[in-house]
Amino acid sequence: MKKSLVTVVFIAAILLSFSITAAAQNIPIDEVTKISVRGNEYVGDFEILNAVQTEVGDQTSQEALRSDMQSIYDLGYFSDVNIVFENFEGGLHVIFEVVENPVLKKIELSGYEGLYTAASIKKELDLQTGTVLNVKKMNQNLKSFQEKMQNDGYVLARYKNVNISEKGVLTVKISPGHLSAVEIKGNTKTENYVILREVPIEAGDIVNINKIQKGYQNLHQLEYFKNINPELVRVEGEDNQARLVINLEEANTGRLNFGGGYSSTDGWLGFVDVSEKNLFGNGQNIGARWQFGDTTTYSLNFYEPYLLRSDFSFGFSVYDREKERTNAADEDYIRKSRGGSITFGHPLPKNWRTSLKYRAQDTKETWSDSGETFYDKSLRSLTLGFSRDTSNSRFHPTSGSINNFEIEHAGDFIGGEMNFTKFTWDSRRYFPAFSDHAIAARMKLGLSEPRTPLASEEYDLGGSDSLRGYQRSDFDDAVPNNNLLLLNLEYRIPFNESFTGVLFTDAGNVWEDRESIALDDLHYGYGLGMRMNTPVGQLRLDYGWDEEQDGRLHFSIGNTF
């Protein structure tokens, strides 16, 4: 007949208390001349007597013997401990009578499916079959495993039943706690399926608070909602179930922005920007932009994160760009680019994502004074990309990283007049600093195989987005910029939610040959700047000095890194 472990332990405690009391009332006062153990079959005398403090030659003491019985019981091997006395060599022979727990023959687990493997649970319990069950060790390990389940996010998981039979079969039944339903409240525009696909837990799943937290982060990154409040509510009358209620307050996802200013990258400019992040509540992103001034751009882009409700994403963009530039010889020219791209993406494990992009672009460059065309090339390329973003904030990240790796191949079977292969690795890392300050570090490495001259496809260096204190024309010369190494380091000091001060140092260079890349051949810049968060994006103002201590003002829109 099986006995509940809790019952076994409880009864043993009662028996022990009774035995100690009875023994205490009948303890003869005499010298202890011998101490032994009776009733143990598997647990050795030495281990038992090692817990006894009374020694041969001591006078019998009710308090001491009570403590010795408790110490033996606390070893965890016995369901009952008693004490008897016999005369021996003019004194007392103290005999500790013990009743061993059953020998553990087998461990049967249930309810663990979806949590861990049976082997991993048995490893956590650390109980050896073929030996007397140590209840103390078992209880400690059951408690530790309960804490592990909690730490791993299984906040409802508990033991439904723990039994040890007389035949030595330990049965551990776990109730993991399931999600009965996911309810969404407060969404007036966004469709339910758009919200649910961002939450990696659904009705019927085992409740895991880490998955709920991940869903909260996913929803927050969408920027569709002003407030997000997930609640886990117990279901009355159900067997260890809860429902997830996601309370939402919709945000304005449409934008109409216009303005003007001066950028050290694009010169004087004006712009009109229209975008919608959550088109018709279906989670699609569409935007159009007109920029005019020294740089004129017309662009249209569209992004569907879940194509046909699958895990594949889809996006396309078309653009027409005209930009005035100056080369190293201080000659002005106009670069006109027209093209577009189509991109498919798919998630990978551990927050990575891969994408494949087809790009088509026609580029023409003409002298500003004569209008003569000196460059006219078509580009067709495929880009395989891998990206991962674990940063904790859009404007002021203090932890995590952003990694992007791309391989772009143009020409050959893809078509176009340009032939090259480019490898670009852009890695950014964020660290907390004093108070709410942050340290941001970036390394960008660009490598390309020898190719036909490509002008617009060369790596750019200098300006507000790379090596501050310099301008791009400082690195535009007769040597093709086939390879790039750029290092950036910033110390960011937020003054409030809108303004952040920055101290920075940059290093970088471009080379024609890969063999020429060297850390002792870098140009350096340093300076300070200010960031302002606006509905348009982040406005950046930096003042940087080059190696000759010449200063330059940089102004641009959007995050540096």
Side-chain angles (χ1 to χ4, degrees):
M1 178 180 67
K2 291 187 178 181
K3 299 179 180 179
S4 167
L5 178 62
V6 176
T7 304
V8 169
V9 175
F10 178 67
I11 292 176
I14 293 176
L15 291 175
L16 177 64
S17 176
F18 175 78
S19 299
I20 291 175
T21 302
Q25 293 173 349
N26 299 284
I27 292 178
I29 306 301
D30 208 339
E31 181 183 354
V32 178
T33 54
K34 185 178 180 180
I35 303 174
S36 63
V37 182
R38 182 183 298 166
N40 56 313
E41 182 178 356
Y42 296 96
V43 183
D45 289 3
F46 176 80
E47 185 174 0
I48 299 172
L49 293 177
N50 193 48
V52 175
Q53 297 298 314
T54 301
E55 297 179 350
V56 173
D58 292 347
Q59 288 292 112
T60 55
S61 165
Q62 174 181 333
E63 182 179 351
L65 291 175
R66 179 192 295 272
S67 176
D68 290 337
M69 294 175 68
Q70 185 66 51
S71 296
I72 293 174
Y73 183 76
D74 288 344
L75 291 175
Y77 295 112
F78 310 107
S79 60
D80 190 18
V81 180
N82 206 344
I83 189 170
V84 297
F85 303 94
E86 295 179 356
N87 293 323
F88 181 77
E89 296 183 355
L92 288 179
H93 177 193
V94 178
I95 305 170
F96 292 99
E97 294 185 334
V98 297
V99 178
E100 291 178 327
N101 293 328
V103 174
L104 183 62
K105 300 291 183 62
K106 185 179 180 182
I107 301 176
E108 294 183 349
L109 304 172
S110 61
Y112 64 88
E113 296 83 359
L115 291 172
Y116 310 96
T117 64
S120 65
I121 296 176
K122 290 178 180 179
K123 184 177 179 180
E124 291 288 335
L125 296 181
D126 191 25
L127 300 174
Q128 186 67 40
T129 57
T131 62
V132 173
L133 176 66
N134 189 316
V135 175
K136 178 181 179 181
K137 180 180 180 181
M138 181 191 71
N139 287 336
Q140 290 175 340
N141 292 351
L142 283 170
K143 181 180 178 182
S144 296
F145 182 62
Q146 173 79 35
E147 292 173 353
K148 173 179 172 57
M149 290 191 292
Q150 295 289 315
N151 293 335
D152 288 344
Y154 301 110
V155 293
L156 297 186
R158 57 180 176 80
Y159 299 112
K160 192 171 184 178
N161 200 3
V162 178
N163 290 319
I164 177 68
S165 71
E166 293 178 348
K167 294 183 178 181
V169 178
L170 175 63
T171 302
V172 179
K173 187 173 183 180
I174 299 172
S175 176
H178 287 84
L179 196 66
S180 64
V182 179
E183 301 176 9
I184 303 172
K185 296 181 178 180
N187 54 316
T188 57
K189 173 184 176 182
T190 308
E191 297 290 345
N192 282 353
Y193 77 88
V194 174
I195 300 167
L196 291 174
R197 70 190 183 189
E198 300 295 336
V199 182
I201 189 170
E202 59 184 20
D205 289 350
I206 296 173
V207 172
N208 188 299
I209 200 68
N210 296 331
K211 290 185 177 181
I212 295 174
Q213 178 65 24
K214 178 61 176 176
Y216 169 83
Q217 293 172 351
N218 292 344
L219 291 173
H220 180 72
Q221 290 176 355
L222 292 177
E223 298 182 341
Y224 298 168
F225 311 103
K226 287 193 291 186
N227 291 305
I228 306 170
N229 181 27
E231 293 181 292
L232 201 58
V233 182
R234 283 278 193 178
V235 177
E236 297 294 335
E238 296 290 341
D239 185 17
N240 198 21
Q241 291 194 13
R243 56 192 175 91
L244 176 62
V245 181
I246 305 176
N247 299 290
L248 302 168
E249 183 180 356
E250 299 267 12
N252 182 11
T253 56
R255 294 286 187 271
L256 171 60
N257 301 313
F258 56 90
Y262 177 81
S263 166
S264 57
T265 301
D266 300 320
W268 292 102
L269 60 89
F271 66 89
V272 178
D273 198 339
V274 182
S275 65
E276 170 57 62
K277 293 180 181 178
N278 188 13
L279 187 63
F280 305 124
N282 293 316
Q284 299 160 336
N285 191 320
I286 190 170
R289 182 179 179 87
W290 173 38
Q291 180 177 310
F292 51 91
D294 292 345
T295 297
T296 301
T297 301
Y298 302 93
S299 64
L300 174 68
N301 59 77
F302 174 81
Y303 179 69
E304 166 57 77
Y306 295 89
L307 182 62
L308 301 177
R309 300 195 182 185
S310 71
D311 287 337
F312 287 92
S313 63
F314 168 76
F316 74 83
S317 67
V318 292
Y319 56 87
D320 190 331
R321 184 180 303 121
E322 182 177 313
K323 185 173 185 179
E324 298 179 5
R325 299 196 65 172
T326 303
N327 61 19
D330 204 27
E331 297 172 314
D332 296 331
Y333 65 95
I334 298 174
R335 174 181 293 165
K336 296 181 180 180
S337 301
R338 177 180 298 174
S341 65
I342 297 176
T343 305
F344 291 92
H346 193 273
L348 296 175
K350 298 185 178 180
N351 295 319
W352 282 93
R353 190 170 189 86
T354 187
S355 62
L356 183 64
K357 178 172 70 175
Y358 171 76
R359 180 163 70 108
Q361 177 178 292
D362 295 327
T363 302
K364 180 184 292 187
E365 296 181 352
T366 59
W367 297 116
S368 298
D369 53 359
S370 65
E372 179 184 355
T373 299
F374 62 90
Y375 182 91
D376 189 355
K377 295 289 183 181
S378 63
L379 165 69
R380 305 292 183 266
S381 73
L382 285 175
T383 301
L384 177 64
F386 299 90
S387 62
R388 184 171 185 255
D389 186 348
T390 60
S391 60
N392 64 342
S393 173
R394 177 186 176 191
F395 287 133
H396 185 63
T398 57
S399 65
S401 62
I402 299 175
N403 292 281
N404 293 284
F405 177 72
E406 291 185 345
I407 304 173
E408 182 178 13
H409 182 74
D412 295 329
F413 67 94
I414 307 172
E417 300 174 83
M418 302 169 66
N419 295 273
F420 64 86
T421 302
K422 295 169 66 175
F423 303 86
T424 304
W425 177 26
D426 193 335
S427 183
R428 309 161 187 202
R429 188 71 187 270
Y430 308 98
F431 307 91
F434 174 75
S435 184
D436 57 349
H437 301 181
I439 298 173
R442 175 195 191 189
M443 186 193 77
K444 183 176 181 180
L445 177 65
L447 305 173
S448 61
E449 297 292 340
R451 62 217 189 259
T452 56
L454 36 129
S456 64
E457 294 306 309
E458 291 181 343
Y459 289 111
D460 283 324
L461 187 67
S464 60
D465 295 325
S466 59
L467 185 57
R468 288 160 287 189
Y470 300 80
Q471 58 184 346
R472 289 179 179 176
S473 60
D474 293 336
F475 301 94
D476 286 341
D477 54 27
V479 177
N481 299 338
N482 294 339
N483 302 282
L484 164 76
L485 177 60
L486 174 66
L487 305 171
N488 303 103
L489 183 66
E490 290 188 351
Y491 189 86
R492 300 171 176 176
I493 308 169
F495 301 125
N496 51 46
E497 293 184 357
S498 299
F499 292 94
T500 300
V502 171
L503 301 174
F504 66 83
T505 181
D506 303 328
N509 205 354
V510 286
W511 298 269
E512 179 179 7
D513 301 316
R514 191 178 305 175
E515 295 76 15
S516 302
I517 299 176
L519 293 177
D520 58 1
D521 187 25
L522 298 178
H523 299 280
Y524 294 88
Y526 63 94
L528 61 149
M530 180 67 69
R531 309 286 181 263
M532 182 173 70
N533 301 330
T534 73
V536 180
Q538 190 176 76
L539 302 183
R540 292 185 284 119
L541 182 65
D542 291 323
Y543 194 88
W545 289 271
D546 61 17
E547 294 168 302
E548 304 300 325
Q549 304 304 311
D550 292 329
R552 186 176 301 278
L553 184 67
H554 301 282
F555 174 79
S556 193
I557 300 174
N559 297 329
T560 313
F561 63 94

